[in-house]
Amino acid sequence: MEQYITIILRTIFFYVLILAIFRLMGKREIGELSILDLVVFIMIGELAIVAIDDPEQSLIQTTIPMVLLMVIQIAMATISLKSKRFRDIVDGKPTIIINRGKIDEEAMRKQRYNFDDLLTQLREKDIRSIGDVEFAILESSGSLSVIEKMSNGNGKPQEGDITIPLIIDGCIEEENLIRINKTNLWLRQELKKMGYKDVRKISFCSFENGKFFVDIMDEE
């Protein structure tokens, strides 16, 4: 009887502890969890299960590794906020699968993403035909973001555009410049015309339908 009471108390303890740890690590939707998040969550869950199954094991021996994992995750998340390169390494980059209505088979092969995956995720978003899709982006979380072709008023689809990030956290996204057939020099010249002389002070700059959106770091 005493053993069952111990198991019940341990279960309650670790439930509260894990809830507190996840709250401290920040709010994230299940579909938005990074690989780092998943690894930490799985390890914390496994540690709790082992501790509950083995009442003889000290609570301190299990609690310390769980708290340490939380600290590591928070530290990594902080680094990720400050470093775009680190985010790309840990979380990966979004991949454009359908670009202006054209399927990019090479991008699909790189991501080991097949047409069954594509069609399944399109059906989940109530997209009947690939022909209705202007852009489909495979996010780093594995979810598919879809932008349908716009209607020009007579029922026929017309081409649109998506937001192309050109600067993130003060760093120029060279790959995206190549995607829109522009150069680093062109971007700097355009920004200077708008009064932005120091690229490092720009937290985010995007280009869509010929227009720029610029946000300065820590600007009130």
Side-chain angles (χ1 to χ4, degrees), residues 5-17 52:
I5 293 175
T6 302
I7 292 174
I8 291 172
L9 292 176
R10 279 174 171 260
T11 302
I12 295 172
F13 171 79
F14 283 112
Y15 172 80
V16 174
L17 178 62
I52 292 171

Side-chain angles (χ1 to χ4, degrees), residues 181-194:
N181 297 316
K182 301 295 183 182
T183 64
N184 190 303
L185 178 61
W186 168 84
L187 175 60
R188 292 178 183 275
Q189 289 176 339
E190 292 298 315
L191 290 174
K192 282 183 180 180
K193 291 178 185 178
M194 295 185 288

